[in-house]
Amino acid sequence: MATNALILSGGGARAAYQVGVLSAINELLPSSTHNPFPIICGTSAGAINAIALATHTGHYYEAVADLNDIWTQLSTERVFRTSWGDLISGGARLLMSLLREGIGKHKSIALLDNAPLREFLAEHIDFSQLQVGLNNRDLKAVAITAMNYGTGESVSFYQGNEELKDWRRYRRIGIATQLTLDHLMASAAIPGIFPAVKVNRDYFADGALRQMAPISPALHMGADRIFVIGVSGNRNPVHWAKRAMPPKHSPSIAQVFGHLFNSAFIDSLEGDIEHLERVNELLELIPEETLEENNVRLRSVETMVISPSKELDKIAGRKIRYMPKSVRVFLRSAGGTTKGGGAATSSYLLFEKPFIDELIELGYQDTMWEKDRIQAFFEV
């Protein structure tokens, strides 16, 4: 029997789109379904969704309901401190670090303090339930990825069945461990924005950085079919032919960071999907006996990809006004608006209900448009 894996990419507040997709899948599957994804892999904000699903040992519809509940309770203040004093002190810490060779005196250097997110997740996620799911065989493995500042490697921390083995490839490794809140916070620690997290002896940052093969952990853990939920509309051919308007000004700071974030959170996943699809096409052209005779270890992996049909940057540009005034002023001064060309940066930090609700609805609608394909994927 084929083993399904779920891949949840990073993207800050954009990960709300994944909740809509998972909600639609819930409606398309039988209500008795326990877990349609024995293998779950998440990175950054996608890791939060991954762990929220994996720690739920009931029916799938209950897990999705709880995940929806988590996102409906989220707000900017529950992700990072937003007072004028906190934002000013964050900038001051960055400046003061220049007097100490760029090193924080008491804690890792970062512009924003995401302690509220740690407290929120501690209240809503019970990591002890991971082992319960593994013991019940509803779950085979769950992995969350972070980047090791010391080695520059992409590290996939996974908790799974005993038969799974660690792996090491160029710049990426898999390590079996008992997952904790520290691993989750490390995976979501956007460099410079949120503080690095110390796990054992090393400091880690957002897993999207240096993650050259986001699908790889699922394959190492035995997945035969991959279900990917992206947070970018780049795969939609409708957007390919669009030409940008001539720039009215040089790139703003927020626009620069927006492209850096897109490069980290989006480009590697889309490139990995394209690579996997090409390998599948190549394997279809080679007779099975030829593969066996030459001991070729490649195998075809069925994929299903759901990604936004609309540009999330434009949606964010319309919703920035719902953010706390202090954050709005900060983003506007850096060009983090549609006018400044930096709405992409804002989309990663826009943890406000109007934006979250629209992304969840978009994910739901995009998935329902693919109803027949999805039911065929799950053989419903």
Side-chain angles (χ1 to χ4, degrees), residues 245-320:
M245 296 293 292
K248 298 179 181 179
H249 50 73
S250 61
S252 66
I253 295 175
Q255 191 172 7
V256 171
F257 272 93
H259 282 290
L260 291 175
F261 289 164
N262 289 343
S263 177
F265 291 112
I266 296 171
D267 293 353
S268 59
L269 176 62
E270 293 176 345
D272 206 22
I273 293 171
E274 184 176 5
H275 175 73
L276 179 60
E277 291 173 344
R278 288 182 176 178
V279 171
N280 285 341
E281 293 172 359
L282 178 61
L283 290 175
E284 289 179 1
L285 300 175
I286 304 175
E288 290 188 14
E289 55 270 19
T290 301
L291 296 174
E292 294 175 358
E293 291 174 1
N294 292 275
N295 195 29
V296 177
R297 299 168 61 185
L298 297 176
R299 71 182 192 282
S300 180
V301 178
E302 184 180 353
T303 60
M304 178 75 194
V305 182
I306 299 292
S307 55
S309 58
K310 298 180 180 179
E311 296 181 59
L312 302 192
D313 296 359
K314 291 185 177 180
I315 298 176
R318 300 195 306 267
K319 307 296 183 180
I320 292 175

Side-chain angles (χ1 to χ4, degrees), residues 176-378:
T177 188
Q178 183 173 339
L179 294 174
T180 67
L181 184 55
D182 283 340
H183 296 102
L184 186 52
M185 294 300 295
S187 181
I190 302 175
I193 305 297
F194 297 138
V197 178
K198 191 174 184 180
V199 179
N200 298 325
R201 296 176 299 177
D202 297 313
Y203 283 93
F204 290 85
D206 198 296
L209 299 173
R210 309 300 294 272
Q211 191 179 28
M212 296 178 289
I215 298 175
S216 173
L219 300 179
H220 281 292
M221 294 187 292
D224 301 302
R225 300 192 299 182
I226 305 292
F227 194 101
V228 181
I229 307 178
V231 293
S232 164
N234 291 344
R235 286 176 57 84
N236 189 340
V238 173
H239 300 154
W240 295 354
K242 290 184 178 180
R243 300 188 62 180
M245 296 293 292
K248 298 179 181 179
H249 50 73
S250 61
S252 66
I253 295 175
Q255 191 172 7
V256 171
F257 272 93
H259 282 290
L260 291 175
F261 289 164
N262 289 343
S263 177
F265 291 112
I266 296 171
D267 293 353
S268 59
L269 176 62
E270 293 176 345
D272 206 22
I273 293 171
E274 184 176 5
H275 175 73
L276 179 60
E277 291 173 344
R278 288 182 176 178
V279 171
N280 285 341
E281 293 172 359
L282 178 61
L283 290 175
E284 289 179 1
L285 300 175
I286 304 175
E288 290 188 14
E289 55 270 19
T290 301
L291 296 174
E292 294 175 358
E293 291 174 1
N294 292 275
N295 195 29
V296 177
R297 299 168 61 185
L298 297 176
R299 71 182 192 282
S300 180
V301 178
E302 184 180 353
T303 60
M304 178 75 194
V305 182
I306 299 292
S307 55
S309 58
K310 298 180 180 179
E311 296 181 59
L312 302 192
D313 296 359
K314 291 185 177 180
I315 298 176
R318 300 195 306 267
K319 307 296 183 180
I320 292 175
R321 67 183 186 274
Y322 294 104
M323 299 189 79
K325 184 177 181 180
S326 58
V327 181
R328 290 203 315 271
V329 172
F330 170 76
L331 288 172
R332 188 179 298 115
S333 64
T337 63
T338 303
K339 183 177 180 181
T345 297
S346 299
S347 71
Y348 290 96
L349 301 175
L350 221 168
F351 292 91
E352 294 299 328
K353 182 175 174 57
F355 184 62
I356 289 174
D357 286 350
E358 185 161 344
L359 262 57
I360 291 176
E361 179 62 22
L362 178 62
Y364 178 88
Q365 295 296 340
D366 286 346
T367 307
M368 284 303 185
W369 278 110
E370 300 286 351
K371 175 181 177 180
D372 293 339
R373 290 181 58 213
I374 289 175
Q375 290 182 326
F377 181 88
F378 291 104

